[in-house]
mmCIF file of all heavy atoms in Angstrom:
data_model
loop_
_atom_site.group_PDB
_atom_site.id
_atom_site.type_symbol
_atom_site.label_atom_id
_atom_site.label_comp_id
_atom_site.label_asym_id
_atom_site.label_seq_id
_atom_site.Cartn_x
_atom_site.Cartn_y
_atom_site.Cartn_z
ATOM 1 N N SER A 41 17.993 3.868 31.415
ATOM 2 C CA SER A 41 19.230 3.254 31.829
ATOM 3 C C SER A 41 18.947 2.054 32.602
ATOM 4 O O SER A 41 19.716 1.080 32.402
ATOM 5 C CB SER A 41 19.930 4.367 32.778
ATOM 6 O OG SER A 41 21.193 3.803 33.166
ATOM 7 N N GLN A 42 17.833 2.076 33.442
ATOM 8 C CA GLN A 42 17.529 0.863 34.160
ATOM 9 C C GLN A 42 17.118 -0.275 33.227
ATOM 10 O O GLN A 42 17.454 -1.490 33.389
ATOM 11 C CB GLN A 42 16.394 1.135 35.136
ATOM 12 C CG GLN A 42 16.762 1.842 36.336
ATOM 13 C CD GLN A 42 17.878 1.066 37.220
ATOM 14 O OE1 GLN A 42 17.730 -0.076 37.501
ATOM 15 N NE2 GLN A 42 18.978 1.727 37.436
ATOM 16 N N HIS A 43 16.357 -0.019 32.157
ATOM 17 C CA HIS A 43 15.956 -0.945 31.124
ATOM 18 C C HIS A 43 17.259 -1.494 30.475
ATOM 19 O O HIS A 43 17.327 -2.764 30.261
ATOM 20 C CB HIS A 43 15.136 -0.483 30.086
ATOM 21 C CG HIS A 43 13.653 -0.157 30.623
ATOM 22 N ND1 HIS A 43 12.920 -1.075 31.208
ATOM 23 C CD2 HIS A 43 12.969 1.048 30.752
ATOM 24 C CE1 HIS A 43 11.641 -0.615 31.543
ATOM 25 N NE2 HIS A 43 11.751 0.706 31.249
ATOM 26 N N LEU A 44 18.182 -0.699 30.175
ATOM 27 C CA LEU A 44 19.391 -1.076 29.469
ATOM 28 C C LEU A 44 20.238 -1.973 30.474
ATOM 29 O O LEU A 44 20.809 -3.015 30.017
ATOM 30 C CB LEU A 44 20.270 0.144 29.074
ATOM 31 C CG LEU A 44 19.750 0.893 27.868
ATOM 32 C CD1 LEU A 44 20.400 2.143 27.706
ATOM 33 C CD2 LEU A 44 19.798 0.092 26.631
ATOM 34 N N LYS A 45 20.270 -1.696 31.702
ATOM 35 C CA LYS A 45 20.872 -2.615 32.766
ATOM 36 C C LYS A 45 20.320 -4.027 32.726
ATOM 37 O O LYS A 45 21.032 -4.916 32.783
ATOM 38 C CB LYS A 45 20.858 -1.919 34.087
ATOM 39 C CG LYS A 45 21.418 -2.751 35.118
ATOM 40 C CD LYS A 45 21.261 -2.099 36.546
ATOM 41 C CE LYS A 45 21.891 -2.903 37.608
ATOM 42 N NZ LYS A 45 21.658 -2.375 38.975
ATOM 43 N N VAL A 46 18.946 -3.985 32.727
ATOM 44 C CA VAL A 46 18.287 -5.353 32.761
ATOM 45 C C VAL A 46 18.560 -6.206 31.527
ATOM 46 O O VAL A 46 18.896 -7.328 31.562
ATOM 47 C CB VAL A 46 16.700 -5.221 32.906
ATOM 48 C CG1 VAL A 46 15.901 -6.339 32.617
ATOM 49 C CG2 VAL A 46 16.360 -4.548 34.196
ATOM 50 N N LEU A 47 18.579 -5.447 30.400
ATOM 51 C CA LEU A 47 18.946 -6.147 29.120
ATOM 52 C C LEU A 47 20.437 -6.618 29.126
ATOM 53 O O LEU A 47 20.564 -7.783 28.661
ATOM 54 C CB LEU A 47 18.709 -5.198 27.900
ATOM 55 C CG LEU A 47 17.216 -4.933 27.613
ATOM 56 C CD1 LEU A 47 17.037 -3.819 26.631
ATOM 57 C CD2 LEU A 47 16.553 -6.196 27.210
ATOM 58 N N LYS A 48 21.191 -5.767 29.669
ATOM 59 C CA LYS A 48 22.672 -6.276 29.751
ATOM 60 C C LYS A 48 22.790 -7.471 30.697
ATOM 61 O O LYS A 48 23.449 -8.387 30.272
ATOM 62 C CB LYS A 48 23.557 -5.096 30.212
ATOM 63 C CG LYS A 48 24.917 -5.388 30.200
ATOM 64 C CD LYS A 48 25.810 -4.150 30.674
ATOM 65 C CE LYS A 48 27.254 -4.374 30.690
ATOM 66 N NZ LYS A 48 27.721 -5.169 31.849
ATOM 67 N N GLU A 49 22.132 -7.450 31.844
ATOM 68 C CA GLU A 49 22.285 -8.578 32.781
ATOM 69 C C GLU A 49 21.611 -9.863 32.254
ATOM 70 O O GLU A 49 22.125 -10.893 32.534
ATOM 71 C CB GLU A 49 21.506 -8.178 34.112
ATOM 72 C CG GLU A 49 22.279 -7.100 34.911
ATOM 73 C CD GLU A 49 21.539 -6.609 36.107
ATOM 74 O OE1 GLU A 49 20.361 -7.049 36.383
ATOM 75 O OE2 GLU A 49 22.013 -5.910 36.920
ATOM 76 N N ALA A 50 20.533 -9.729 31.328
ATOM 77 C CA ALA A 50 20.067 -10.783 30.636
ATOM 78 C C ALA A 50 20.942 -11.335 29.573
ATOM 79 O O ALA A 50 20.569 -12.363 28.916
ATOM 80 C CB ALA A 50 18.693 -10.436 30.234
ATOM 81 N N GLY A 51 22.010 -10.607 29.182
ATOM 82 C CA GLY A 51 22.767 -11.111 28.188
ATOM 83 C C GLY A 51 22.347 -10.728 26.785
ATOM 84 O O GLY A 51 22.733 -11.306 25.727
ATOM 85 N N LEU A 52 21.354 -9.814 26.649
ATOM 86 C CA LEU A 52 20.812 -9.437 25.334
ATOM 87 C C LEU A 52 21.479 -8.311 24.606
ATOM 88 O O LEU A 52 21.351 -8.181 23.492
ATOM 89 C CB LEU A 52 19.289 -9.181 25.528
ATOM 90 C CG LEU A 52 18.497 -10.424 25.947
ATOM 91 C CD1 LEU A 52 17.106 -9.996 26.330
ATOM 92 C CD2 LEU A 52 18.457 -11.401 24.841
ATOM 93 N N VAL A 53 22.157 -7.329 25.520
ATOM 94 C CA VAL A 53 22.814 -6.278 24.907
ATOM 95 C C VAL A 53 24.200 -6.189 25.451
ATOM 96 O O VAL A 53 24.394 -6.798 26.577
ATOM 97 C CB VAL A 53 22.057 -4.924 25.064
ATOM 98 C CG1 VAL A 53 20.725 -4.941 24.499
ATOM 99 C CG2 VAL A 53 22.008 -4.433 26.538
ATOM 100 N N ARG A 54 25.107 -5.527 24.965
ATOM 101 C CA ARG A 54 26.479 -5.280 25.506
ATOM 102 C C ARG A 54 26.655 -3.775 25.431
ATOM 103 O O ARG A 54 26.012 -3.101 24.596
ATOM 104 C CB ARG A 54 27.508 -6.094 24.793
ATOM 105 C CG ARG A 54 27.615 -5.766 23.362
ATOM 106 C CD ARG A 54 28.806 -6.685 22.741
ATOM 107 N NE ARG A 54 28.807 -6.325 21.416
ATOM 108 C CZ ARG A 54 29.032 -7.228 20.364
ATOM 109 N NH1 ARG A 54 29.167 -8.444 20.730
ATOM 110 N NH2 ARG A 54 29.013 -6.746 19.108
ATOM 111 N N VAL A 55 27.653 -3.348 26.235
ATOM 112 C CA VAL A 55 27.913 -1.906 26.117
ATOM 113 C C VAL A 55 29.344 -1.714 25.987
ATOM 114 O O VAL A 55 30.263 -2.505 26.528
ATOM 115 C CB VAL A 55 27.341 -1.185 27.422
ATOM 116 C CG1 VAL A 55 28.074 -1.853 28.713
ATOM 117 C CG2 VAL A 55 27.616 0.274 27.474
ATOM 118 N N GLU A 56 29.767 -0.699 25.251
ATOM 119 C CA GLU A 56 31.158 -0.293 25.054
ATOM 120 C C GLU A 56 31.218 1.148 25.464
ATOM 121 O O GLU A 56 30.432 2.046 25.049
ATOM 122 C CB GLU A 56 31.524 -0.427 23.559
ATOM 123 C CG GLU A 56 32.846 -0.013 23.166
ATOM 124 C CD GLU A 56 33.134 -0.149 21.672
ATOM 125 O OE1 GLU A 56 32.507 -1.070 21.084
ATOM 126 O OE2 GLU A 56 33.845 0.735 21.162
ATOM 127 N N VAL A 57 32.220 1.405 26.256
ATOM 128 C CA VAL A 57 32.478 2.865 26.740
ATOM 129 C C VAL A 57 33.380 3.593 25.654
ATOM 130 O O VAL A 57 34.471 3.088 25.377
ATOM 131 C CB VAL A 57 33.030 2.898 28.071
ATOM 132 C CG1 VAL A 57 33.374 4.222 28.609
ATOM 133 C CG2 VAL A 57 32.114 2.117 29.147
ATOM 134 N N ALA A 58 32.892 4.601 25.175
ATOM 135 C CA ALA A 58 33.716 5.402 24.187
ATOM 136 C C ALA A 58 33.773 6.968 24.914
ATOM 137 O O ALA A 58 32.796 7.678 24.650
ATOM 138 C CB ALA A 58 33.020 5.365 22.897
ATOM 139 N N GLY A 59 34.788 7.194 25.661
ATOM 140 C CA GLY A 59 34.792 8.520 26.255
ATOM 141 C C GLY A 59 33.712 8.536 27.303
ATOM 142 O O GLY A 59 33.764 7.721 28.180
ATOM 143 N N GLN A 60 32.891 9.637 27.175
ATOM 144 C CA GLN A 60 31.848 9.669 28.179
ATOM 145 C C GLN A 60 30.506 8.937 27.721
ATOM 146 O O GLN A 60 29.469 8.990 28.382
ATOM 147 C CB GLN A 60 31.578 11.204 28.450
ATOM 148 C CG GLN A 60 32.596 11.748 29.269
ATOM 149 C CD GLN A 60 32.323 13.238 29.623
ATOM 150 O OE1 GLN A 60 31.522 13.893 28.891
ATOM 151 N NE2 GLN A 60 32.988 13.726 30.707
ATOM 152 N N ARG A 61 30.590 8.425 26.536
ATOM 153 C CA ARG A 61 29.396 7.839 25.967
ATOM 154 C C ARG A 61 29.388 6.295 26.202
ATOM 155 O O ARG A 61 30.509 5.712 26.182
ATOM 156 C CB ARG A 61 29.370 8.121 24.477
ATOM 157 C CG ARG A 61 29.136 9.638 24.185
ATOM 158 C CD ARG A 61 29.230 9.825 22.649
ATOM 159 N NE ARG A 61 28.312 8.946 21.955
ATOM 160 C CZ ARG A 61 27.872 8.973 20.721
ATOM 161 N NH1 ARG A 61 28.656 9.828 19.943
ATOM 162 N NH2 ARG A 61 27.188 8.160 20.189
ATOM 163 N N ARG A 62 28.146 5.792 26.344
ATOM 164 C CA ARG A 62 28.048 4.281 26.417
ATOM 165 C C ARG A 62 27.285 3.913 25.176
ATOM 166 O O ARG A 62 26.195 4.304 24.993
ATOM 167 C CB ARG A 62 27.333 3.900 27.687
ATOM 168 C CG ARG A 62 27.980 4.302 28.928
ATOM 169 C CD ARG A 62 27.387 3.606 30.245
ATOM 170 N NE ARG A 62 27.995 3.925 31.416
ATOM 171 C CZ ARG A 62 29.210 3.605 31.897
ATOM 172 N NH1 ARG A 62 29.985 2.967 31.074
ATOM 173 N NH2 ARG A 62 29.701 4.016 32.991
ATOM 174 N N ILE A 63 27.978 3.078 24.383
ATOM 175 C CA ILE A 63 27.287 2.624 23.156
ATOM 176 C C ILE A 63 26.753 1.263 23.364
ATOM 177 O O ILE A 63 27.525 0.310 23.728
ATOM 178 C CB ILE A 63 28.418 2.578 21.951
ATOM 179 C CG1 ILE A 63 29.052 3.966 21.851
ATOM 180 C CG2 ILE A 63 27.683 2.232 20.643
ATOM 181 C CD1 ILE A 63 28.246 5.164 21.593
ATOM 182 N N TYR A 64 25.531 1.074 23.144
ATOM 183 C CA TYR A 64 24.859 -0.270 23.315
ATOM 184 C C TYR A 64 24.653 -0.891 21.873
ATOM 185 O O TYR A 64 24.390 -0.291 20.834
ATOM 186 C CB TYR A 64 23.512 -0.080 23.976
ATOM 187 C CG TYR A 64 23.642 0.214 25.330
ATOM 188 C CD1 TYR A 64 23.802 1.570 25.889
ATOM 189 C CD2 TYR A 64 23.708 -0.796 26.305
ATOM 190 C CE1 TYR A 64 24.080 1.947 27.235
ATOM 191 C CE2 TYR A 64 23.908 -0.513 27.750
ATOM 192 C CZ TYR A 64 24.034 0.773 28.171
ATOM 193 O OH TYR A 64 24.161 1.110 29.470
ATOM 194 N N SER A 65 24.772 -2.301 21.888
ATOM 195 C CA SER A 65 24.530 -3.043 20.730
ATOM 196 C C SER A 65 24.021 -4.366 21.247
ATOM 197 O O SER A 65 24.143 -4.646 22.423
ATOM 198 C CB SER A 65 25.923 -3.302 19.992
ATOM 199 O OG SER A 65 26.760 -3.964 20.717
ATOM 200 N N LEU A 66 23.386 -5.151 20.294
ATOM 201 C CA LEU A 66 22.894 -6.450 20.714
ATOM 202 C C LEU A 66 24.053 -7.371 20.975
ATOM 203 O O LEU A 66 25.104 -7.349 20.410
ATOM 204 C CB LEU A 66 22.058 -7.030 19.454
ATOM 205 C CG LEU A 66 20.759 -6.317 19.164
ATOM 206 C CD1 LEU A 66 20.092 -6.968 17.986
ATOM 207 C CD2 LEU A 66 19.881 -6.211 20.408
ATOM 208 N N ASP A 67 23.834 -8.252 21.940
ATOM 209 C CA ASP A 67 24.865 -9.313 22.247
ATOM 210 C C ASP A 67 24.330 -10.616 21.499
ATOM 211 O O ASP A 67 23.376 -11.174 21.796
ATOM 212 C CB ASP A 67 24.791 -9.604 23.765
ATOM 213 C CG ASP A 67 25.830 -10.565 24.207
ATOM 214 O OD1 ASP A 67 26.318 -11.450 23.417
ATOM 215 O OD2 ASP A 67 26.311 -10.418 25.334
ATOM 216 N N LEU A 68 25.036 -10.782 20.374
ATOM 217 C CA LEU A 68 24.606 -11.916 19.586
ATOM 218 C C LEU A 68 24.613 -13.338 20.248
ATOM 219 O O LEU A 68 23.876 -14.171 19.965
ATOM 220 C CB LEU A 68 25.453 -11.977 18.329
ATOM 221 C CG LEU A 68 25.304 -10.778 17.414
ATOM 222 C CD1 LEU A 68 26.327 -10.773 16.190
ATOM 223 C CD2 LEU A 68 23.945 -10.432 17.082
ATOM 224 N N ALA A 69 25.608 -13.467 21.151
ATOM 225 C CA ALA A 69 25.593 -14.756 21.926
ATOM 226 C C ALA A 69 24.290 -14.937 22.696
ATOM 227 O O ALA A 69 23.755 -16.018 22.842
ATOM 228 C CB ALA A 69 26.829 -14.816 22.815
ATOM 229 N N GLY A 70 23.859 -13.940 23.395
ATOM 230 C CA GLY A 70 22.531 -13.979 24.159
ATOM 231 C C GLY A 70 21.340 -14.219 23.290
ATOM 232 O O GLY A 70 20.490 -15.053 23.646
ATOM 233 N N LEU A 71 21.431 -13.570 22.090
ATOM 234 C CA LEU A 71 20.200 -13.746 21.102
ATOM 235 C C LEU A 71 20.361 -15.172 20.558
ATOM 236 O O LEU A 71 19.313 -15.795 20.333
ATOM 237 C CB LEU A 71 20.358 -12.750 20.069
ATOM 238 C CG LEU A 71 20.049 -11.293 20.471
ATOM 239 C CD1 LEU A 71 20.265 -10.308 19.338
ATOM 240 C CD2 LEU A 71 18.569 -11.230 21.005
ATOM 241 N N ASP A 72 21.569 -15.729 20.295
ATOM 242 C CA ASP A 72 21.727 -17.104 19.772
ATOM 243 C C ASP A 72 21.078 -18.076 20.708
ATOM 244 O O ASP A 72 20.444 -19.045 20.366
ATOM 245 C CB ASP A 72 23.152 -17.412 19.459
ATOM 246 C CG ASP A 72 23.641 -16.746 18.124
ATOM 247 O OD1 ASP A 72 22.770 -16.183 17.455
ATOM 248 O OD2 ASP A 72 24.912 -16.746 17.995
ATOM 249 N N ALA A 73 21.378 -17.924 21.992
ATOM 250 C CA ALA A 73 20.820 -18.864 23.019
ATOM 251 C C ALA A 73 19.244 -18.863 23.099
ATOM 252 O O ALA A 73 18.588 -19.839 23.219
ATOM 253 C CB ALA A 73 21.386 -18.451 24.504
ATOM 254 N N PHE A 74 18.857 -17.523 22.979
ATOM 255 C CA PHE A 74 17.302 -17.437 23.002
ATOM 256 C C PHE A 74 16.779 -18.124 21.802
ATOM 257 O O PHE A 74 15.766 -18.870 21.753
ATOM 258 C CB PHE A 74 17.013 -15.896 22.932
ATOM 259 C CG PHE A 74 15.629 -15.543 23.172
ATOM 260 C CD1 PHE A 74 14.995 -15.664 24.376
ATOM 261 C CD2 PHE A 74 14.872 -15.174 22.039
ATOM 262 C CE1 PHE A 74 13.704 -15.275 24.556
ATOM 263 C CE2 PHE A 74 13.561 -14.749 22.118
ATOM 264 C CZ PHE A 74 13.012 -14.861 23.324
ATOM 265 N N GLU A 75 17.426 -17.909 20.562
ATOM 266 C CA GLU A 75 16.901 -18.500 19.350
ATOM 267 C C GLU A 75 17.020 -19.938 19.484
ATOM 268 O O GLU A 75 16.093 -20.653 18.844
ATOM 269 C CB GLU A 75 17.661 -17.885 18.196
ATOM 270 C CG GLU A 75 17.286 -18.423 16.793
ATOM 271 C CD GLU A 75 18.010 -17.740 15.657
ATOM 272 O OE1 GLU A 75 18.904 -16.980 15.846
ATOM 273 O OE2 GLU A 75 17.757 -18.301 14.576
ATOM 274 N N THR A 76 18.068 -20.466 19.957
ATOM 275 C CA THR A 76 18.205 -21.915 20.125
ATOM 276 C C THR A 76 17.083 -22.596 20.859
ATOM 277 O O THR A 76 16.466 -23.584 20.519
ATOM 278 C CB THR A 76 19.460 -22.337 20.726
ATOM 279 O OG1 THR A 76 20.606 -21.804 19.952
ATOM 280 C CG2 THR A 76 19.660 -23.817 20.989
ATOM 281 N N TRP A 77 16.646 -21.929 21.993
ATOM 282 C CA TRP A 77 15.507 -22.380 22.817
ATOM 283 C C TRP A 77 14.198 -22.388 21.994
ATOM 284 O O TRP A 77 13.422 -23.241 22.055
ATOM 285 C CB TRP A 77 15.435 -21.544 24.134
ATOM 286 C CG TRP A 77 14.325 -21.970 24.932
ATOM 287 C CD1 TRP A 77 14.318 -22.945 25.947
ATOM 288 C CD2 TRP A 77 12.872 -21.628 24.900
ATOM 289 N NE1 TRP A 77 13.174 -23.123 26.490
ATOM 290 C CE2 TRP A 77 12.226 -22.329 25.924
ATOM 291 C CE3 TRP A 77 12.186 -20.810 24.097
ATOM 292 C CZ2 TRP A 77 10.885 -22.206 26.130
ATOM 293 C CZ3 TRP A 77 10.743 -20.613 24.371
ATOM 294 C CH2 TRP A 77 10.145 -21.322 25.359
ATOM 295 N N VAL A 78 14.074 -21.250 21.239
ATOM 296 C CA VAL A 78 12.780 -21.105 20.418
ATOM 297 C C VAL A 78 12.774 -22.206 19.371
ATOM 298 O O VAL A 78 11.683 -22.917 19.132
ATOM 299 C CB VAL A 78 12.615 -19.712 19.755
ATOM 300 C CG1 VAL A 78 11.561 -19.715 18.738
ATOM 301 C CG2 VAL A 78 12.530 -18.704 20.792
ATOM 302 N N ARG A 79 13.871 -22.439 18.671
ATOM 303 C CA ARG A 79 13.929 -23.640 17.681
ATOM 304 C C ARG A 79 13.561 -25.028 18.339
ATOM 305 O O ARG A 79 12.898 -25.819 17.773
ATOM 306 C CB ARG A 79 15.237 -23.600 17.028
ATOM 307 C CG ARG A 79 15.272 -22.807 15.698
ATOM 308 C CD ARG A 79 16.599 -23.156 14.912
ATOM 309 N NE ARG A 79 17.413 -22.098 15.096
ATOM 310 C CZ ARG A 79 18.667 -22.095 15.679
ATOM 311 N NH1 ARG A 79 19.201 -23.309 15.930
ATOM 312 N NH2 ARG A 79 19.380 -21.131 15.765
ATOM 313 N N LYS A 80 14.098 -25.098 19.507
ATOM 314 C CA LYS A 80 13.934 -26.480 20.344
ATOM 315 C C LYS A 80 12.441 -26.640 20.500
ATOM 316 O O LYS A 80 11.802 -27.621 20.339
ATOM 317 C CB LYS A 80 14.633 -26.417 21.555
ATOM 318 C CG LYS A 80 14.457 -27.660 22.397
ATOM 319 C CD LYS A 80 15.264 -27.595 23.754
ATOM 320 C CE LYS A 80 14.981 -28.687 24.623
ATOM 321 N NZ LYS A 80 15.687 -28.659 25.870
ATOM 322 N N VAL A 81 11.738 -25.512 21.131
ATOM 323 C CA VAL A 81 10.371 -25.631 21.339
ATOM 324 C C VAL A 81 9.589 -25.868 20.103
ATOM 325 O O VAL A 81 8.623 -26.591 19.945
ATOM 326 C CB VAL A 81 9.919 -24.343 22.108
ATOM 327 C CG1 VAL A 81 8.340 -24.349 22.239
ATOM 328 C CG2 VAL A 81 10.571 -24.386 23.560
ATOM 329 N N ARG A 82 9.894 -24.980 19.066
ATOM 330 C CA ARG A 82 9.146 -25.155 17.740
ATOM 331 C C ARG A 82 9.266 -26.531 17.305
ATOM 332 O O ARG A 82 8.346 -27.073 16.712
ATOM 333 C CB ARG A 82 9.794 -24.083 16.768
ATOM 334 C CG ARG A 82 8.949 -24.135 15.484
ATOM 335 C CD ARG A 82 9.431 -23.080 14.520
ATOM 336 N NE ARG A 82 8.924 -21.793 14.930
ATOM 337 C CZ ARG A 82 9.621 -20.675 14.871
ATOM 338 N NH1 ARG A 82 10.812 -20.582 14.237
ATOM 339 N NH2 ARG A 82 9.088 -19.566 15.293
ATOM 340 N N GLY A 83 10.453 -27.100 17.323
ATOM 341 C CA GLY A 83 10.684 -28.471 16.839
ATOM 342 C C GLY A 83 9.782 -29.508 17.587
ATOM 343 O O GLY A 83 9.099 -30.382 16.989
ATOM 344 N N PHE A 84 9.732 -29.286 18.862
ATOM 345 C CA PHE A 84 8.837 -30.191 19.676
ATOM 346 C C PHE A 84 7.360 -30.065 19.199
ATOM 347 O O PHE A 84 6.812 -31.072 18.989
ATOM 348 C CB PHE A 84 8.985 -29.765 21.116
ATOM 349 C CG PHE A 84 7.965 -30.475 22.040
ATOM 350 C CD1 PHE A 84 8.124 -31.741 22.545
ATOM 351 C CD2 PHE A 84 6.738 -29.808 22.488
ATOM 352 C CE1 PHE A 84 7.217 -32.399 23.396
ATOM 353 C CE2 PHE A 84 5.754 -30.452 23.188
ATOM 354 C CZ PHE A 84 6.070 -31.647 23.612
ATOM 355 N N TRP A 85 6.897 -28.848 19.052
ATOM 356 C CA TRP A 85 5.503 -28.740 18.732
ATOM 357 C C TRP A 85 5.310 -29.131 17.267
ATOM 358 O O TRP A 85 4.193 -29.681 17.041
ATOM 359 C CB TRP A 85 5.123 -27.307 19.005
ATOM 360 C CG TRP A 85 4.805 -27.102 20.513
ATOM 361 C CD1 TRP A 85 5.529 -26.375 21.331
ATOM 362 C CD2 TRP A 85 3.658 -27.652 21.197
ATOM 363 N NE1 TRP A 85 4.955 -26.484 22.640
ATOM 364 C CE2 TRP A 85 3.775 -27.268 22.573
ATOM 365 C CE3 TRP A 85 2.612 -28.527 20.944
ATOM 366 C CZ2 TRP A 85 2.945 -27.671 23.610
ATOM 367 C CZ3 TRP A 85 1.826 -28.899 21.928
ATOM 368 C CH2 TRP A 85 1.911 -28.450 23.165
ATOM 369 N N ASN A 86 6.152 -28.806 16.309
ATOM 370 C CA ASN A 86 5.929 -29.178 14.991
ATOM 371 C C ASN A 86 5.817 -30.677 14.839
ATOM 372 O O ASN A 86 4.902 -31.196 14.130
ATOM 373 C CB ASN A 86 7.092 -28.630 14.101
ATOM 374 C CG ASN A 86 6.977 -27.249 13.798
ATOM 375 O OD1 ASN A 86 5.906 -26.619 13.920
ATOM 376 N ND2 ASN A 86 8.035 -26.626 13.397
ATOM 377 N N ALA A 87 6.694 -31.445 15.559
ATOM 378 C CA ALA A 87 6.644 -32.922 15.430
ATOM 379 C C ALA A 87 5.342 -33.335 16.134
ATOM 380 O O ALA A 87 4.716 -34.308 15.464
ATOM 381 C CB ALA A 87 7.814 -33.483 16.296
ATOM 382 N N HIS A 88 4.854 -32.869 17.206
ATOM 383 C CA HIS A 88 3.661 -33.398 17.890
ATOM 384 C C HIS A 88 2.374 -32.907 17.136
ATOM 385 O O HIS A 88 1.448 -33.628 16.927
ATOM 386 C CB HIS A 88 3.591 -32.880 19.277
ATOM 387 C CG HIS A 88 4.499 -33.617 20.110
ATOM 388 N ND1 HIS A 88 5.902 -33.391 20.202
ATOM 389 C CD2 HIS A 88 4.198 -34.686 20.966
ATOM 390 C CE1 HIS A 88 6.318 -34.322 21.071
ATOM 391 N NE2 HIS A 88 5.375 -34.953 21.615
ATOM 392 N N LEU A 89 2.387 -31.721 16.408
ATOM 393 C CA LEU A 89 1.324 -31.314 15.662
ATOM 394 C C LEU A 89 1.283 -32.146 14.367
ATOM 395 O O LEU A 89 0.094 -32.420 13.911
ATOM 396 C CB LEU A 89 1.447 -29.776 15.312
ATOM 397 C CG LEU A 89 1.201 -28.850 16.519
ATOM 398 C CD1 LEU A 89 1.406 -27.524 16.038
ATOM 399 C CD2 LEU A 89 -0.202 -29.094 17.086
ATOM 400 N N ASP A 90 2.407 -32.569 13.748
ATOM 401 C CA ASP A 90 2.415 -33.523 12.663
ATOM 402 C C ASP A 90 1.719 -34.805 12.995
ATOM 403 O O ASP A 90 1.014 -35.327 12.227
ATOM 404 C CB ASP A 90 3.839 -33.651 12.113
ATOM 405 C CG ASP A 90 4.359 -32.385 11.447
ATOM 406 O OD1 ASP A 90 3.544 -31.526 11.129
ATOM 407 O OD2 ASP A 90 5.542 -32.461 11.082
#
Side-chain angles (χ1 to χ4, degrees):
S41 180
Q42 286 298 311
H43 286 301
L44 289 167
K45 179 182 176 185
V46 169
L47 290 169
K48 184 176 180 286
E49 289 175 354
L52 295 169
V53 302
R54 62 178 177 221
V55 62
E56 179 182 325
V57 178
Q60 292 184 333
R61 296 176 52 175
R62 296 192 184 288
I63 309 298
Y64 286 85
S65 60
L66 293 178
D67 186 332
L68 299 181
L71 291 174
D72 286 346
F74 187 78
E75 185 178 357
T76 298
W77 183 89
V78 170
R79 266 193 257 121
K80 179 181 173 184
V81 171
R82 182 176 285 146
F84 170 84
W85 281 108
N86 284 343
H88 284 77
L89 290 174
D90 288 346

